[in-house]
Amino acid sequence: LATRASSDNKVLGRMITAAPEMIKVARTIERVANTNVSVMLLGASGTGKELLARGLHDASSRANGSFIAINCAAIPENLLESELFGHEKGAFTGAVKTTEGKIELASGGTLFLDEVGDIPLQLQVKLLRFLQERTIERIGGRRSIEVDTRIVCATHQNLEAMIADNRFREDLYYRLAEIVVRIPSLAERPGDA
């Protein structure tokens, strides 16, 4: 019986919920899955943002492409640019080979930027350029590389307040938040407690 109950409560493939609030969120994500808009997931830590991002990817026409997740808060600032954009051999000490970044690796699929509010301002400019041009340059590179990557991002931070404090670019926010999905906290989802 428990197996049947859990399969009846599945939404977006992997997520199990009994909360009507989360079913509503899942239905919103299903509606935008086959568009190419950037989606921002807002919610507290532990509310299922990465599961929802993966569900969006799996429900989209990009499901056969890669789903790559990166936690922007977990990578030191000086390494984050290389992780996102890649680098050419010899671009800096220790760059012994050309390495594709996460944006390039996710081409044809989805890149999930978790904790996007932790991206440093200087790197926000480069990310904005990618979102506008759909091309990247690896660190130390001279050539533009066309990339077809969908961005889904998440944060628990108040980006509007960060914009007011000049800690997050407003133009980047609007590029990342073409669709904003607010995820209810666990307290607001008694069916998931």
Side-chain angles (χ1 to χ4, degrees), residues 38-58:
S38 297
V39 177
M40 181 173 290
L41 304 171
L42 299 177
S45 296
T47 53
K49 294 184 292 289
E50 187 166 346
L51 269 177
L52 288 168
R54 185 173 288 282
L56 186 152
H57 170 76
D58 291 345

Side-chain angles (χ1 to χ4, degrees), residues 17-92:
T17 184
E21 302 84 1
M22 285 304 287
I23 293 169
K24 184 178 174 185
V25 166
R27 297 300 170 250
T28 299
I29 287 173
E30 287 170 347
R31 279 194 301 276
V32 301
N34 278 318
T35 67
N36 272 321
V37 297
S38 297
V39 177
M40 181 173 290
L41 304 171
L42 299 177
S45 296
T47 53
K49 294 184 292 289
E50 187 166 346
L51 269 177
L52 288 168
R54 185 173 288 282
L56 186 152
H57 170 76
D58 291 345
S60 77
S61 58
R62 295 174 174 270
N64 291 331
S66 297
F67 175 84
I68 297 188
I70 183 169
N71 185 328
C72 300
I75 298 171
E77 189 174 316
N78 59 336
L79 297 178
L80 187 56
E81 182 178 8
S82 179
E83 282 292 312
L84 288 173
F85 294 93
H87 60 266
E88 296 290 337
K89 178 180 178 178
F92 50 82

Side-chain angles (χ1 to χ4, degrees), residues 4 13 19 40-41 61 97 99-100 109 116 118 128 139 141 152 161 170 174:
R4 182 164 182 246
M40 181 173 290
L41 304 171
S61 58
K97 65 178 183 156
T99 303
E100 293 178 343
V116 72
D118 286 293
L128 176 63
I139 297 172
V152 177
E170 186 173 18
Y174 288 113

Side-chain angles (χ1 to χ4, degrees), residues 129-147:
R129 183 172 175 92
F130 157 68
L131 289 168
Q132 291 170 331
E133 308 292 329
R134 295 298 172 175
T135 62
I136 61 161
E137 273 185 29
R138 295 183 193 128
I139 297 172
R142 303 263 184 266
R143 173 174 75 88
S144 289
I145 301 166
E146 279 193 38
V147 185

